Amino acid sequence: MKTILVLFGGCSSEYEVSLQSAQAVLAHLDPRQVRPLPVGVTCDGRWLYCPASPDRLPHETWMEGGVPCALRLDRGKTALLLLDGGNTALDFDAAFPVLHGKNGEDGTVQGLLELVGIPLIGCGTLSSALCMDKDRAHKLAALAGIRTPKSAVFSPAAPWEEIVETARSLGYPLFVKPVRAGSSFGVSRVESPGSLSAAVEAAFRHDGRILLEEAVPGFEVGCAVMGNPGETELTVGAVDEIELSGGFFDFGEKYTLRTSAIHCPARISPSQAARVQAAARAVYAALDCRVFARVDFFLTPEGELLFNEVNTIPGFTAHSRYPSMMQAAGLSFPALLRRLVELGAGV
């Protein structure tokens, strides 16, 4: 049996989503395979060991009774130190970050864990950082032969006239996005020049660089990928499809589906689905992903496939897109978690 440190919460706009994902993961880990060591990170960055029931996680009561803790940083001596005055050290075998967005999915936590030599259930430091950076991820996907949307990157020092001219050349509608943010925070669909300034301002609130990107006609499809390139054969889930009635798949739609729907399997031909799965494998390998990630694309009315982004820690409730894709491919949620632990912790 392996003892697995499960990290959740975090200093991120996606803190609440992380609590929901961690609740599902903790509730479905196989007790014959895993002894979980739950550690929550509060919005202000405090680490708390919380062995209470996972049912408390979606509520702020999860902090009650939590014990302040920290990682032992001696390489090769993996342990969680309880800062309760008793010098308690809880040994563990691997870490499973169930964190979303900045300070959790962007390589920062992964770097800390790798520095100590802790086996990681998920993508490593490099791939996590690359996948969070939309600009660099697009460049590497293009080098792997996958088409990407036309785009341009700007810093706060960029002349406003240059941003306006780039938007004009890309054409309206277009998207303005933070280069590094998750769950569509700070992303705006801009229909006309009059809305550009507010969209740019909103994007800069989430990152120091922003991306202007052409709006690709068609719809979004995604593919769950699992495995360690060069070590194990990559497994792909069923391709899913996002159906929108208007607007785009922003944070509200992702977690409420008020006016949108997710179809899994996607309503596309078997040959198109196979193309998506092949492209997902190629992007996954090009961005040095390991254990698991979800790769998203745009599929145009003409059948062209364009890379959108990689989520290295996608939503992980039993009904989230990644588990649903694997479920449609014949892998139940508990079985999926067992396989991820095997891939990351070497069970």
Side-chain angles (χ1 to χ4, degrees), residues 15 26 105 115 122 142 176 230 237 283 302:
Y15 164 85
L26 289 166
E105 194 177 353
L115 178 69
V176 180
V283 170
E302 295 75 31

Side-chain angles (χ1 to χ4, degrees), residues 105 120 122-132 137 140 223 225-232 234 280-295 307 309-314 322 343:
E105 194 177 353
L120 188 61
C123 291
T125 304
L126 176 62
S127 57
S128 298
L130 287 173
C131 292
M132 180 61 72
L140 288 170
C223 183
V225 186
M226 178 173 62
N228 298 329
E231 301 175 18
T232 59
L234 295 182
R281 287 189 180 97
V283 170
Y284 187 92
L287 289 171
D288 198 36
C289 297
R290 64 180 299 277
V291 185
F292 72 99
R294 193 190 75 230
V295 188
F307 170 61
E309 63 180 356
V310 176
N311 283 270
T312 54
I313 308 180
Y322 186 98
L343 288 167

Side-chain angles (χ1 to χ4, degrees), residues 74-110:
D74 298 339
R75 188 170 180 86
K77 296 182 179 179
T78 304
L80 184 73
L81 303 178
L82 301 189
L83 308 179
D84 57 358
N87 297 319
T88 304
L90 303 177
D91 295 332
F92 62 94
D93 301 292
F96 190 170
V98 188
L99 300 157
H100 303 305
K102 286 188 177 182
N103 305 307
E105 194 177 353
D106 57 2
T108 50
V109 166
Q110 290 77 9

Side-chain angles (χ1 to χ4, degrees), residues 46-49 65-70 80-85:
R46 292 177 296 124
W47 286 42
L48 298 173
Y49 169 54
V67 180
C69 61
L80 184 73
L81 303 178
L82 301 189
L83 308 179
D84 57 358

Side-chain angles (χ1 to χ4, degrees), residues 97-330:
V98 188
L99 300 157
H100 303 305
K102 286 188 177 182
N103 305 307
E105 194 177 353
D106 57 2
T108 50
V109 166
Q110 290 77 9
L112 172 63
L113 296 170
E114 290 185 357
L115 178 69
V116 185
I118 298 171
L120 188 61
I121 300 171
C123 291
T125 304
L126 176 62
S127 57
S128 298
L130 287 173
C131 292
M132 180 61 72
D133 189 307
K134 296 178 179 65
D135 178 47
R136 290 176 172 85
H138 279 207
K139 286 181 169 66
L140 288 170
L143 288 173
I146 309 300
R147 186 183 163 195
T148 61
K150 298 175 185 176
S151 63
V153 176
F154 296 96
S155 71
W160 176 246
E161 295 76 13
E162 186 178 341
I163 295 176
V164 171
E165 176 56 27
T166 299
R168 185 200 63 77
S169 65
L170 287 173
Y172 291 91
L174 56 83
F175 284 94
V176 180
K177 306 177 177 181
V179 170
R180 292 165 298 188
S183 284
S184 298
F185 281 107
V187 176
S188 302
R189 179 182 169 96
V190 180
E191 301 289 344
S192 64
S195 304
L196 182 62
S197 177
V200 167
E201 182 179 345
F204 272 130
R205 284 198 292 268
H206 290 269
D207 192 39
R209 293 187 304 146
I210 65 167
L211 189 75
L212 267 62
E213 182 179 286
E214 68 170 326
V216 178
F219 53 89
E220 187 175 332
V221 292
C223 183
V225 186
M226 178 173 62
N228 298 329
E231 301 175 18
T232 59
E233 183 178 352
L234 295 182
T235 299
V236 292
V239 175
D240 77 355
E241 167 200 346
I242 298 171
E243 180 186 13
L244 295 174
S245 61
F248 70 100
F249 207 47
D250 61 9
F251 178 82
E253 284 299 328
K254 285 181 178 180
Y255 297 107
T256 65
L257 299 178
R258 289 188 303 263
T259 64
S260 57
I262 297 176
H263 300 278
C264 186
R267 299 171 301 176
I268 57 179
S269 69
S271 61
Q272 287 177 316
R275 284 177 52 219
V276 173
Q277 291 170 325
R281 287 189 180 97
V283 170
Y284 187 92
L287 289 171
D288 198 36
C289 297
R290 64 180 299 277
V291 185
F292 72 99
R294 193 190 75 230
V295 188
D296 296 337
F297 300 90
F298 299 112
L299 186 61
T300 72
E302 295 75 31
E304 292 185 273
L305 197 62
L306 284 80
F307 170 61
N308 180 19
E309 63 180 356
V310 176
N311 283 270
T312 54
I313 308 180
F316 240 85
T317 71
H319 305 291
S320 296
R321 293 178 64 196
Y322 186 98
S324 294
M325 293 181 207
M326 288 301 187
Q327 174 78 47

